[in-house]
């Protein structure tokens, strides 16, 4: 297995492409937007430069990694010879299902189709293909080149052979694959998103301010960053989408998104990527300045 196609050049997609390419896999990075592809390659280059500066890799390693990546604006061109496709498009069920329908028609019959979805059941994704035994979840963590965990999610029909192949592949990337069962949110987000949502509720109910909530969780619970800062880092729109998937999947009110989160997404306050969320990122990408809407 040497030919890897990655669908989506955003934060997760370019991180996954970087990781495979660094381990000498041939990577086709696919996105409908040429601008997104250019930004993705620029991000990979910057991250590789940091690794060179820290002497984690050599300049030759950087050049080899970049040479392993080619870009495509067409799924048909980028995935037609893939041994493995990892879909890392936006967390939108319709978009993902449409992509897998197309992949099923384009890719070689033996190709494995994986999704980086953080919440949508793999069984639902696999059901739109004629190869459900070869569909699996590979949920990487952000930032992908650094974070060790990969959640491996078996769909109802995913075969033992395919699961074993993806587990071994993840190990070859220097990751720690962890198998989980196929329920909305899996493990990581089933636990994480209700915590983030509760932090937003705590702010919404005026129990404490943004910095105070994050400080309690950092210093009291030894979290590396507070839940509101983490939500900004993930993207408030992504957090909302995951909560909606879990709320729809479990029909349990504990997963209902906080009205404040809903309104912030409607207003385009998505966190780091939009320049403002719970914190203001207009001057720095670090969570150093609370958004003016939360200052009394």
């Amino acid at each position: 297995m040497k030919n890897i196609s990655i669908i989506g050049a955003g934060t997760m997609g370019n991180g996954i492409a970087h990781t495979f390419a660094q381990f000498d896999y041939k990577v086709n990075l696919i996105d409908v937007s040429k601008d997104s592809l250019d930004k993705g390659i620029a991000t990979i280059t910057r991250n590789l430069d940091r690794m060179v500066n820290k002497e984690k890799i050599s300049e030759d390693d950087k050049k080899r990694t970049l040479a392993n990546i080619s870009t495509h604006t067409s799924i048909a061109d980028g995935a037609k010879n893939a041994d493995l496709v990892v879909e890392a498009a936006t967390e939108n069920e319709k978009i993902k299902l449409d992509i897998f329908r197309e992949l099923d028609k384009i890719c070689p019959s033996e190709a494995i189709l994986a999704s980086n979805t953080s919440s949508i059941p793999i069984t639902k994704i696999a059901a739109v293909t004629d190869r459900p035994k070869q569909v699996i979840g590979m949920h990487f963590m952000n930032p992908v080149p650094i974070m060790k965990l990969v959640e491996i999610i078996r769909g109802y029909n995913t075969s033992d052979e395919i699961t074993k192949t993806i587990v071994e592949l993840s190990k070859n990337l220097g990751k720690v694959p962890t198998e989980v069962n196929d329920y909305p949110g899996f493990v990581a987000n089933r636990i994480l998103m209700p915590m983030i949502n509760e932090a937003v509720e705590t702010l919404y109910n005026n129990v404490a301010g943004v910095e105070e909530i994050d400080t309690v969780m950092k210093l009291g619970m030894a979290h590396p960053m507070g839940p509101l800062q983490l939500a900004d880092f993930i993207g408030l729109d992504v957090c909302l989408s995951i909560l909606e998937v879990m709320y729809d999947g479990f029909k349990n009110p504990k997963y209902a998104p906080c009205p404040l989160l809903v309104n912030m997404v409607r207003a385009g306050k998505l966190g780091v990527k939009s320049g403002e969320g719970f914190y203001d990122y207009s001057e720095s990408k670090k969570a150093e300045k609370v958004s003016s809407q939360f200052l009394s």
Side-chain angles (χ1 to χ4, degrees):
M1 184 180 293
K2 295 298 292 182
N3 297 319
I4 314 297
S5 294
I6 312 296
I7 310 289
T11 300
M12 296 304 295
N14 70 59
I16 296 168
H18 171 162
T19 301
F20 273 103
Q22 190 175 332
F23 282 84
D24 283 329
Y25 291 89
K26 299 300 180 183
V27 175
N28 288 335
L29 182 59
I30 306 165
D31 199 293
V32 293
S33 166
K34 178 65 164 56
D35 184 55
S36 293
L37 287 168
D38 291 341
K39 288 179 179 177
I41 294 297
T43 297
I44 294 169
T45 303
R46 285 195 303 272
N47 290 337
L48 287 168
D49 283 336
R50 289 193 192 97
M51 296 175 78
V52 171
N53 291 336
K54 293 179 179 179
E55 298 184 346
K56 292 185 176 180
I57 62 171
S58 68
E59 185 67 28
D60 285 343
D61 292 331
K62 170 194 164 183
K63 291 177 181 177
R64 189 187 70 253
T65 298
L66 290 172
N68 283 333
I69 305 173
S70 60
T71 60
H72 304 266
T73 54
S74 162
I75 291 179
D77 289 338
K80 62 184 178 183
N81 296 316
D83 297 314
L84 167 69
V85 180
V86 182
E87 171 274 315
T90 186
E91 192 69 1
N92 177 289
E93 184 177 301
K94 183 181 184 305
I95 290 173
K96 289 184 184 296
L97 296 185
D98 286 345
I99 288 172
F100 272 81
R101 288 188 185 97
E102 186 173 359
L103 289 172
D104 192 41
K105 296 175 183 176
I106 291 168
C107 295
S109 60
E110 68 276 9
I112 299 172
L113 307 183
S115 178
N116 183 60
T117 180
S118 50
S119 60
I120 300 168
I122 298 302
T123 302
K124 180 178 284 189
I125 293 173
V128 303
T129 76
D130 290 327
R131 61 179 89 190
K133 292 182 179 180
Q134 295 161 238
V135 179
I136 195 166
M138 291 184 76
H139 181 208
F140 291 85
M141 303 294 127
N142 187 26
V144 180
I146 296 172
M147 299 291 279
K148 291 290 187 182
L149 176 67
V150 181
E151 270 190 313
I152 306 296
I153 306 103
R154 294 182 62 152
Y156 187 82
N157 292 304
T158 307
S159 73
D160 291 341
E161 180 184 358
I162 295 299
T163 302
K164 182 179 179 181
T165 297
I166 295 302
V167 165
E168 291 305 313
L169 175 66
S170 300
K171 291 178 181 177
N172 291 342
L173 297 175
K175 303 302 184 185
V176 179
T178 304
E179 291 186 54
V180 305
N181 290 324
D182 188 25
Y183 292 96
F186 317 127
V187 171
N189 283 309
R190 185 169 179 172
I191 295 170
L192 175 62
M193 287 302 154
M195 184 192 74
I196 287 176
N197 198 44
E198 194 62 33
V200 181
E201 286 278 2
T202 303
L203 178 64
Y204 181 57
N205 292 325
N206 200 32
V207 177
V210 171
E211 285 185 303
E212 289 76 13
I213 291 168
D214 278 353
T215 297
V216 167
M217 296 305 291
K218 286 189 289 184
L219 300 185
M221 310 303 167
H223 291 193
M225 68 174 71
L228 300 177
Q229 179 188 357
L230 180 56
D232 276 355
F233 180 70
I234 295 169
L236 303 193
D237 53 337
V238 176
C239 294
L240 178 60
S241 293
I242 295 169
L243 284 164
E244 288 176 336
V245 167
M246 293 196 296
Y247 183 51
D248 181 63
F250 292 115
K251 302 295 189 293
N252 189 322
K254 74 178 180 179
Y255 299 114
C258 175
L260 174 59
L261 178 63
V262 175
N263 281 340
M264 289 180 71
V265 172
R266 286 174 178 166
K269 305 294 179 70
L270 308 180
V272 176
K273 62 185 171 186
S274 71
E276 185 179 0
F278 295 105
Y279 293 87
D280 185 333
Y281 302 95
S282 58
E283 298 176 1
S284 171
K285 294 297 183 183
K286 297 180 180 179
E288 298 172 329
K289 182 180 176 183
V290 175
S291 174
S292 59
Q293 65 180 312
F294 300 116
L295 297 174
S296 54

